[in-house]
Structure formats: C-alpha cells, structure tokens
Amino acid sequence: MDIQALRSTNPDHWMRAAAIRALTLDAVTAANSGHSGMPMGMADVATVLYEKHLKFDAADPTWPDRDRFILSAGHGSMLLYSLLYLTGDAEITLDQIKNFRQLGAKTAGHPENFLAKGIETTTGPLGQGIANSVGFAIAEESLRARFGKKVVDHYTYVIAGDGCLMEGISHEAIGLAGRQQLSRLVVFWDNNNITIDGKVELSDRTDQVARFEAAGWHVQEIDGHDPQAIDAAITAAKKADAPSMIACKTHIALGHAAQDTSKGHGALTDADQMAAAKEAYGWTTGPFEVPADIKTQWEEIGSRGAADRAEWQSRFDALSEQRRNEFTRTMTGAAPKRLSATIKALKKQNSEAAPKVATRKSSEMVLEVVNPLMPETIGGSADLTGSNNTNAGDLGVFDVDNRKGRYIYFGIREHGMASAMNGMALHGGIRPYGGTFMCFTDYARPAMRLAALMQVPSVFVMTHDSIGLGEDGPTHQPVEHLAISRSTPNTYVFRPADTIETAEAWEIALTSNSTPSVLALSRQGLPTVRTEHKNANLTAKGGYVLADAEGKRQVILIATGSEVSVAMAAREALQAEGIGVRVVSMPCMELFAAQDDAYRKRVLPGGPIRIAIEAGVRQGWDRWLLGERGREAKAGFIGMNSFGASAPAEELYEHFGITSEATVELAKSLL
C-alpha cells in the first residue's frame, strides 16, 4: 500500500484519519493490551462517515433523532473512543484515552453502553453488534411510522469485520434485515482478509457480497482507503430501498510493519515499529498529542450536528403537548399510568373466576389488555407464535408495507431475535418481547446475557418450561435452563404459578428499565392458586406465603410455577394428618433475595423442615433449603436430576416423582 500516495492525494482527510491511528497506537502501547489493527484499517471509513454523513451532536450524545453508530467489531474499541474524544464528547476525555483498559476507565477493553452516553451498545462478542443493529433499524422504522418523519428520521451505521460475518448470528440478522427491507441500515464490512489465526482462507471461502445480495441487501464494493469512494458509497446506500452492505477493501494495521498480517490484529507495542508507522503517517507529535488544528477540525465535525438538533427541537416543540409527552414517555421507558390499574383489574377478575389455564395462555391474557395500552410494545416469536401465545391485542404485523404493525415474525432465529430485541430496547421508545421454547434459551443465551450486562429490559417469553410439555421428549424439555438463567447477574427469572402471578410478573417486566426478564411459562393447564384478590404485587417480593400452616408449623414447602399446585395438594394431605404446612410460592428468586432479612425471615423462619418442588435441577435451590436459617438434615428437593422422556405430562410427573404423594412421603421421612 502506497502510504505516500494516500497522504498526498487527500492530505486534510489523511491527517484527520491519522489522528485515530496515532491515538490507537498510543493507547494500546500504554495499556500493553488491545487491538490496534482494525482502527488503523477502518480510520478512513470512520472519518468520512463522521465528517460527511453521521447526524450527531457531540454536546448531546443522546439526542433522540441522532444517527446511531455501532462498532460491531468491538475489539477495535479504540476507533470509537478516538472518535468520541476527537469530536469533543464530554465523557471520553484525553485522560480516559490514556487509561484505556484500566480499572474504572470508561474506555474499557470493548465498548460498554452503560459507561458513556456516546456508546450505543456493548460489543465484543462478534456478530452481536450487527444483530443489535437490526433491532435499532426496526425501532427507527416503527417510531417513524408512529410519530412521523419530523420527529424520527435517522440511520443506523455499523462497522463489522470478518469475525462478525463468520459468527452464525450474522446469518440470522442479515436474513431478517433483508426480508424487512430495513433501508435505514448501512453496514461497512472491514474486508481485510485477516483473522487472528491468519488469512481468512484458512477457515472460510464464503462470497460475502453474494451472500448479502442473496438475502436482499444493496451491496457495493469499494477501496476502504479512498475517501471519495467511501463518500459516494454512503450516499448511494442512503438512497437504496434495502439495507446496504459496503464491502470496504482495507489493510489491517495500515502503515505498520504488521500490516496485512495476523499480528496486525493485536497489540502493536514495539516502539521502533510504532515510530516508523507514525513517520509514515507524517505524525510528528508526542504520545497522545493531537495537533491543535486537527483537533479543531474534529471538534467542528462534532458540533456540526447542533444545527440539526436545534431544527429537530423546533419541530418537536411545535407538536401538541400530548404528542410531546407521549414521545418523551416512551423514549424514557416510563409505563403508562393506567398500567397498574389494568393489571389489578385482570388479577381480580381471574382470582374470582379461578380458571385452569396454561401460564402461556395467562401471558396472552395479560398481553391482550396491556398491548392496547402500551403502543411501545413490539412482540414476536421465533416461528412459534401459536405455541408462545405472543401475538395478542390486535398488534398488526410489522412488515415492509405496515411499519405501524407491532408483531414481528422473526423466523427460526432465536439468537437473532434476542439480539434484535436488545437493539430495540437500546434504541429507546420500544418495549420488545419475543418468544420461543424454554429449552431454546440455549440458542438465545449470548444475547440474553448481554441484555443483563447492558442493563436493558428485554422480555424473553419462554414457554414449555418443563417436562410438562410431554410428548416432544427430552430434547425439548428444559431441566437446567432455569438454573442457567438464574445464575446470570441482573436478570429476573419469573416462573409464575397461575394467571395472577403471570400478570404481576409482566407488570414488573414492563416497568423495569435496567433489568431483562425471563418468563418461564407452562404448556399444561394450571389451577388458579391465588383465589383471594390482593391489590399488592406479591410477585414483586419474589417469594411469599401462599398458604400458612394450621396448627404447629412443621413443614415449609417452597415451589414455583406448575409445582405450586403440587405443594398445595401435599399441604392438604399433610394437614389432614395433623402436620402443619406452610406453602411458599417463589416466582422470582432474584426479587426474594433482594428483600431485607426481616422479610425473608418471616417467610422462611428457622425450625420447620423445608422441601423445594420444581420440575428442574436442584442447582440454585440450596440457598433457600440450607441457608437462610435452614439445615441440611431437615431439607429435601423434589425435582429433576436427569433429562426427561417422551410421554404425556401426567405420566412423566409420576415417573420422575414430582407429585404430592412423593412430597408427603419425603416430608414424613424428614420429620
């Protein structure tokens, strides 16, 4: 690559891009850790994007109608940090750049959305950013249809590398975006032909251009170091009626001795090589020093969007007060005032009627009354709509010719669905939920984990939550999945026992702004166990006394979901023999753990034997059985210690000993 030709052909552009390259080298050297090559290779694309196309205002990184920029190749985080610092972002200061990858710095090893307002999403696990971007683009389309172009009219831009496109989630994301013709989505492929192990040909021969074209994308191929070609390609992409992929042929670690090699991917810290690279760039200042004229040029780019923001504010201020309030409410994630009363009314109705229904049906009943009340909800399913019961409340189908529709047919794409949901939540203005079978949390798991890490309130509706799904057998019967979800920090895992608990779980999920929720819902019909109406949301306590002992309390049965009715039947049998039994329903362990010690002590006092009943593995239960004033000699578990089997649900519960009779027998043996 002729560096001198690049410098001389576009000298002003070159020096602005060189600032990104130099800062990257300095920061990675100071940390003795990081990934230098991608920021050095994609600096030209990023410079043209920010200078000529990206609608943003560095003084207000959360302005609602800004363009979104997503660094899917998150290992190249110094590209984003450099851009934020250079354009004048108040949070990413030079001191933050100098402390790249250090404890407490906002400039973490990979971009983290909760550390700085200018970071749209957390990336690093490859493919997640491009999959998030599909959700961002869906949110933009939906909100533009709802509020109009005067309020919502922006693009989502993504930089993705070979790793992002090799990961399987990219196939799901690309297919969904192409089907939905998300024309406000523009992806730059950093086509440098290098992975950590070596050249791409070591492991892949995919024609990525043909792949995107086959999925319905608008595709261009350009020299990723030619600013005129980059500018023209972005201009054309913005005019396309489909999502755009711009294949940018680049050189990883441009201008460095490690250029075009796998070594160029990682930390380039050799002092002599760095000095040679900077000399080739024409960069003469010391470490972390950006010449004043170049910093000024970048700050002018960062402030250019102030006029766009002011014009937007004028248009927004001209809206009716009602429209302004509704837009602000949805963008801030506040629930409608009527939500609480609506949930209470549904609870009262079902406590009195006491229906026997599957909690997946209970969830549908909740959505029937909630979705008309909350126009910000967008639901969907991974090709299991009729099984997940997620299309409720006359949502209409979100499609190319109906952007006001609020139900998405995600197709058989659990991972892509979950990641797109995260993107919608991150964009703001949308309350996303999506369904699949509980066992397929395995496929959605990476995005579910990132929802928790990113502190976004995506709602994962997971039906067929146990061996109770029956004949589909052990491949479809989740036994370890509750434990997996519960082990994830900052996640609410709800396993409601009836319609009342399901409604309460939904209320919590729809009013949380920083914690995702997993709703584990049954296929089989469950009796109503909450027959006495209470206005209070007892599920918000995580666990509560459903039925107390008559006479001396000798046994505490703790259960979730479909097994709460098993506990109630066991209580009746034991009470008939004069054994006092308390039943504790524990729909959400995380919320119970968050209660103060005094409340937990009232619910789980020391003394009585304790038995947990859940059609899953024991892992996660020992805190409530052995801790919290419990004793191992007086504790037992009724549940699974193996995979399931193919048979009707009733036979499976009998076969695996998850019955009231087995509970009674265990209780007596422990007394």
Side-chain angles (χ1 to χ4, degrees):
M1 193 70 191
D2 190 343
I3 299 293
Q4 295 306 313
L6 291 176
R7 284 178 57 183
S8 60
T9 304
N10 302 284
D12 293 337
H13 160 85
W14 173 264
M15 292 308 292
R16 286 191 288 274
I20 297 172
R21 295 178 172 115
L23 284 171
T24 295
L25 287 168
D26 290 338
V28 171
T29 298
N32 197 31
S33 173
H35 300 83
S36 315
M38 192 284 282
M40 295 164 71
M42 286 297 281
D44 295 301
V45 172
T47 298
V48 174
L49 173 65
Y50 270 66
E51 180 183 358
K52 297 184 179 297
H53 296 276
L54 194 73
K55 182 174 67 173
F56 78 109
D57 181 1
D60 187 0
T62 59
W63 164 38
D65 199 36
R66 69 193 180 280
D67 288 340
R68 270 62 169 180
F69 173 64
I70 295 172
L71 187 66
S72 187
H75 57 275
S77 58
M78 270 308 303
L79 176 71
L80 178 55
Y81 300 147
S82 297
L83 289 163
L84 290 170
Y85 162 65
L86 289 167
T87 54
D89 185 281
E91 293 183 298
I92 305 302
T93 62
L94 185 59
D95 191 54
Q96 291 289 340
I97 298 293
K98 291 178 178 179
N99 283 284
F100 175 56
R101 288 188 161 219
Q102 303 310 300
L103 184 64
K106 296 180 183 295
T107 47
H110 293 81
E112 296 174 15
N113 65 297
F114 48 87
L115 293 181
K117 296 182 180 69
I119 302 171
E120 299 287 359
T121 181
T122 296
T123 55
L126 292 175
Q128 287 292 336
I130 191 173
N132 285 165
S133 75
V134 177
F136 274 86
I138 288 171
E140 194 277 341
E141 294 280 2
S142 176
L143 291 166
R144 177 156 37 91
R146 181 179 168 197
F147 290 103
K149 289 186 66 173
K150 291 183 178 180
V151 181
V152 181
D153 186 16
H154 55 264
Y155 288 83
T156 299
Y157 296 97
V158 185
I159 288 180
D162 288 304
C164 295
L165 302 191
M166 284 190 199
E167 290 288 356
I169 191 174
S170 72
H171 175 76
E172 300 181 25
I174 291 164
L176 179 61
R179 166 61 184 82
Q180 288 290 346
Q181 295 180 31
L182 300 175
S183 60
R184 299 301 184 90
L185 175 59
V186 180
V187 173
F188 301 97
W189 170 33
D190 178 19
N191 179 18
N192 60 41
N193 199 42
I194 294 294
T195 67
I196 292 173
D197 280 350
K199 291 189 180 298
V200 168
E201 287 79 12
L202 283 171
S203 58
D204 193 45
R205 60 178 297 174
T206 303
D207 184 336
Q208 297 291 357
V209 168
R211 177 187 175 208
F212 276 83
E213 288 176 338
W217 286 57
H218 174 263
V219 180
Q220 303 172 77
E221 295 183 77
I222 64 168
D223 178 350
H225 300 299
D226 180 344
Q228 283 77 33
I230 297 165
D231 181 27
I234 299 172
T235 300
K238 289 159 72 174
K239 294 177 181 177
D241 59 2
S244 284
M245 190 274 267
I246 303 173
C248 306
K249 189 60 185 172
T250 61
H251 296 271
I252 196 169
L254 180 72
H256 192 278
Q259 177 184 311
D260 298 330
T261 71
S262 59
K263 289 183 179 180
H265 173 87
L268 304 178
T269 59
D270 180 275
D272 292 338
Q273 291 179 350
M274 185 165 71
K278 287 186 174 182
E279 183 179 355
Y281 297 158
W283 198 261
T284 58
T285 58
F288 298 106
E289 291 181 17
V290 178
D293 60 328
I294 297 173
K295 185 67 165 73
T296 298
Q297 292 170 31
W298 270 111
E299 289 176 353
E300 288 173 354
I301 292 170
S303 63
R304 185 194 62 233
D308 290 327
R309 180 168 62 87
E311 290 172 10
W312 177 86
Q313 190 67 51
S314 296
R315 296 193 301 271
F316 182 73
D317 291 343
L319 297 176
S320 68
E321 183 180 6
Q322 181 181 1
R323 293 283 282 173
R324 292 199 307 272
N325 290 343
E326 181 65 2
F327 182 80
T328 301
R329 181 190 70 78
T330 56
M331 290 303 291
T332 57
K337 293 178 180 178
R338 289 190 295 149
L339 177 63
S340 178
T342 301
I343 294 293
K344 286 185 177 73
L346 181 68
K347 286 166 54 180
K348 188 172 190 298
Q349 175 187 346
N350 280 274
S351 290
E352 293 170 352
K356 181 178 181 179
V357 295
T359 50
R360 60 172 175 161
K361 177 63 178 176
S362 300
S363 175
E364 181 181 42
M365 293 158 61
V366 178
L367 291 171
E368 288 282 359
V369 298
V370 165
N371 279 335
L373 188 67
M374 299 184 70
E376 63 266 34
T377 58
I378 288 184
S381 169
D383 199 52
L384 291 167
T385 295
S387 294
N388 299 148
N389 296 63
T390 41
N391 191 2
D394 299 322
L395 291 174
V397 177
F398 178 86
D399 209 339
V400 177
D401 56 359
N402 183 27
R403 296 308 197 193
K404 290 186 177 180
R406 293 161 51 204
Y407 193 78
I408 300 175
Y409 290 107
F410 283 104
I412 306 149
R413 300 183 176 107
E414 288 87 358
H415 197 179
M417 173 183 73
S419 189
M421 287 164 53
N422 291 345
M424 291 181 227
L426 287 160
H427 179 281
I430 303 294
R431 283 276 179 181
Y433 68 87
T436 187
F437 289 166
M438 185 74 185
C439 64
F440 298 144
T441 56
D442 289 338
Y443 292 158
R445 165 74 182 153
M448 294 172 72
R449 177 178 183 267
L450 280 173
L453 177 64
M454 294 190 292
Q455 304 169 24
V456 294
S458 300
V459 182
F460 303 102
V461 181
M462 301 301 184
T463 70
H464 298 59
D465 69 337
S466 73
I467 61 170
L469 67 88
E471 293 85 346
D472 273 340
T475 61
H476 282 51
Q477 292 167 7
V479 294
E480 75 273 35
H481 298 75
L482 284 165
I484 290 170
S485 291
R486 286 171 179 155
S487 71
T488 307
N490 190 41
T491 300
Y492 294 146
V493 182
F494 296 101
R495 191 166 186 251
D498 61 8
T499 302
I500 288 82
E501 285 191 355
T502 304
E504 292 177 340
W506 265 112
E507 182 178 20
I508 296 164
L510 292 171
T511 53
S512 167
N513 279 325
S514 58
T515 301
S517 296
V518 179
L519 271 64
L521 306 172
S522 74
R523 176 185 186 242
Q524 72 273 34
L526 306 182
T528 299
V529 295
R530 286 267 294 278
T531 54
E532 180 185 347
H533 173 66
K534 293 184 183 297
N535 277 330
N537 186 324
L538 299 184
T539 297
K541 294 288 191 181
Y544 61 93
V545 177
L546 176 64
D548 214 346
E550 297 171 13
K552 182 183 178 182
R553 184 170 55 237
Q554 296 176 267
V555 178
I556 299 177
L557 302 178
I558 317 167
T560 74
S562 46
E563 286 69 71
V564 173
S565 58
V566 174
M568 292 294 282
R571 173 186 178 273
E572 184 177 354
L574 288 165
Q575 285 286 170
E577 297 186 35
I579 301 171
V581 179
R582 167 181 283 188
V583 173
V584 171
S585 179
M586 193 175 285
C588 183
M589 287 186 181
E590 296 77 29
L591 286 171
F592 186 66
Q595 304 308 306
D596 61 37
D597 187 66
Y599 176 79
R600 298 200 312 274
K601 189 174 183 179
R602 287 198 300 274
V603 175
L604 296 178
I609 68 166
R610 297 181 187 180
I611 297 173
I613 315 170
E614 185 173 73
V617 298
R618 178 167 173 161
Q619 187 170 339
W621 274 103
D622 281 353
R623 174 174 178 180
W624 317 117
L625 293 175
L626 312 183
E628 300 282 326
R629 298 157 297 279
R631 290 172 52 200
E632 187 166 4
K634 301 178 73 174
F637 180 72
I638 298 284
M640 299 293 293
N641 58 12
S642 68
F643 292 107
S646 294
E650 298 81 5
E651 293 182 26
L652 290 173
Y653 272 78
E654 186 73 32
H655 175 73
F656 288 107
I658 307 174
T659 63
S660 60
E661 293 82 3
T663 305
V664 168
E665 183 179 338
L666 179 58
K668 288 181 176 180
S669 72
L670 291 169
L671 282 171

